[in-house]
């Protein structure tokens, strides 16, 4: 959408002025809706592109796929739409795929929604540990430890920005974010 109000820039370049192709080269999306095709785990991660073995292994490790690979192997067939995998396994393949791309901006849209709490925390922490890229994380998981690691939290209400700041600041202000956090963690 190019009809937004205000300014949105990536590395000083206004988003409206960038072509879709240029934008997609710099952004990787991890979504809650995962596309998996009927091929191997490795092919679903690499999307048939050639990557160094170390890069694939790193993406597998950061996505928390180690145990799945050890149990089934990279050549395990996922089935049409990932029917042979759990929801969490499909999600971790999507995360590894996005991390492997090595984009400048990582947009994470409810990527841990299909995961158990332990795996979600592991993956969230791994994403926050990544260096050299911008991470934009959309989440309904209100974990104080993870939120405390964010540079800035943007609180939306009815599609509008109503609050922004660091976790500690928003908790001290006792506004919309504080109310949501308190109710969610009661």
């Amino acid at each position: 959408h190019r009809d937004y109000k205000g300014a949105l820039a990536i590395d000083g370049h206004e988003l409206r002025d960038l072509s879709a192709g240029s934008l997609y080269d710099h952004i990787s999306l991890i979504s809650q809706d995962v596309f998996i095709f009927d091929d191997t785990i490795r092919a679903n991660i690499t999307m048939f592109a050639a990557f160094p073995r170390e890069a694939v292994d790193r993406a597998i490790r950061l996505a928390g796929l180690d145990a799945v690979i050890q149990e089934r192997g990279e050549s395990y067939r996922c089935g049409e739409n990932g029917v042979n995998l759990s929801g969490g396994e499909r999600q971790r393949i999507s995360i590894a795929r996005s991390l492997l791309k090595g984009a400048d901006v990582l947009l994470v849209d409810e990527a841990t929604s299909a995961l158990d709490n332990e795996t979600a925390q592991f993956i969230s922490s791994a994403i926050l540990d990544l260096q050299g890229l911008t991470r934009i994380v959309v989440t309904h998981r209100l974990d104080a430890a993870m939120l405390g690691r964010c540079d800035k939290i943007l609180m939306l209400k009815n599609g509008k920005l109503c609050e922004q700041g660091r976790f500690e600041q928003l908790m001290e202000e006792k506004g919309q974010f504080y109310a949501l956090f308190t109710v969610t963690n009661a």
Side-chain angles (χ1 to χ4, degrees):
H1 299 284
R2 297 184 185 273
D3 60 344
Y4 55 88
K5 295 178 184 169
L8 182 57
I10 297 178
D11 288 335
H13 300 282
E14 174 58 43
L15 189 65
R16 288 183 191 95
D17 300 334
L18 299 174
S19 70
S22 174
L23 185 61
Y24 295 139
D25 287 343
H26 295 283
I27 294 178
S28 187
L29 171 67
I30 301 174
S31 176
Q32 63 184 341
D33 299 319
V34 180
F35 173 74
I36 302 289
F37 47 92
D38 187 17
D39 210 303
T40 66
I41 291 175
R42 183 178 179 84
N44 271 282
I45 293 170
T46 64
M47 301 290 288
F48 301 104
F51 288 97
R53 178 87 207 162
E54 304 80 40
V56 176
D57 289 345
R58 177 180 179 268
I60 287 169
R61 186 181 70 257
L62 290 174
L65 274 171
D66 303 79
V68 175
I69 298 297
Q70 287 175 357
E71 180 183 325
R72 299 181 189 156
E74 288 182 3
S75 60
Y76 181 78
R77 292 197 68 91
C78 300
E80 190 63 39
N81 228 2
V83 70
N84 297 335
L85 304 168
S86 71
E89 290 166 343
R90 290 191 298 269
Q91 192 66 13
R92 285 180 273 178
I93 286 172
S94 172
I95 291 167
R97 183 187 297 161
S98 291
L99 294 174
L100 189 58
K101 181 179 176 185
D104 302 322
V105 177
L106 183 61
L107 177 57
V108 183
D109 182 15
E110 294 289 352
T112 59
S113 63
L115 303 177
D116 61 87
N117 285 334
E118 182 180 336
T119 305
Q121 286 183 341
F122 171 81
I123 291 171
S124 295
S125 185
I127 288 169
L128 290 173
D129 287 342
L130 295 172
Q131 300 295 315
L133 74 155
T134 300
R135 296 157 313 251
I136 301 170
V137 180
V138 177
T139 187
H140 286 91
R141 285 186 188 252
L142 299 181
D143 177 80
M146 291 298 145
L147 294 171
R149 295 181 60 195
C150 296
D151 294 330
K152 185 180 279 189
I153 296 170
L154 304 174
M155 172 77 179
L156 301 177
K157 183 175 181 180
N158 298 325
K160 304 253 189 232
L161 179 64
C162 66
E163 290 180 316
Q164 62 180 314
R166 293 193 54 83
F167 177 72
E168 300 81 14
Q169 175 190 357
L170 293 174
M171 293 302 286
E172 287 173 13
E173 291 174 0
K174 295 192 181 341
Q176 294 287 325
F177 178 82
Y178 173 84
L180 180 63
F181 182 84
T182 303
V183 168
T184 303
N185 288 291

